Amino acid sequence: MSQLQSYVDRKVSVIMSDGRLVVGMLRGLDQTTNIIMQECQERVFSEDDGVEMVDLGLYMIRGDNIVLVGLIDEEADAELDFENTRCAPIEPVKH
């Protein structure tokens, strides 16, 4: 948990066990790694269409659903062309 604490109030990307990717400002977390994010967007990938951005607003994610949390380089992220990005969706994690 201490490593994630340094990410609070910074823009992060979270990959969940069902394959969803959520980007937003990390606002808080607890001892079981449940996290609260603000200004969230889910990025839905497609091989046929561009990346769809779904506004989620304030969002809480249970710690047992989190696969990966990473910092976003906001300058590099702003330069990405999501409309012309094509890729397969992330597959759910299998245990």
Side-chain angles (χ1 to χ4, degrees), residues 8-52:
V8 171
D9 296 327
R10 298 180 72 184
K11 191 172 183 178
V12 297
S13 173
V14 178
I15 296 177
M16 293 186 273
S17 59
D18 62 1
R20 289 185 291 162
L21 172 71
V22 177
V23 175
M25 297 296 290
L26 180 63
R27 292 301 183 197
L29 63 145
D30 65 11
Q31 68 275 9
T32 58
T33 319
N34 296 317
I35 64 174
I36 298 174
M37 298 174 66
Q38 188 175 27
E39 301 170 10
C40 284
Q41 286 187 327
E42 180 180 354
R43 294 181 178 174
V44 182
F45 296 93
S46 168
E47 293 180 285
D48 301 318
D49 303 318
V51 178
E52 179 184 357

Side-chain angles (χ1 to χ4, degrees), residues 53-91:
M53 305 290 201
V54 179
D55 288 325
L56 302 174
L58 187 65
Y59 206 66
M60 181 177 169
I61 304 173
R62 287 178 46 127
D64 58 354
N65 290 330
I66 297 173
V67 174
L68 180 114
V69 178
L71 288 176
I72 293 281
D73 179 335
E74 293 189 55
E75 289 180 22
D77 192 56
E79 293 178 13
L80 294 174
D81 181 10
F82 291 110
E83 194 171 304
N84 292 311
T85 299
R86 306 286 189 267
C87 67
I90 300 170
E91 293 292 324

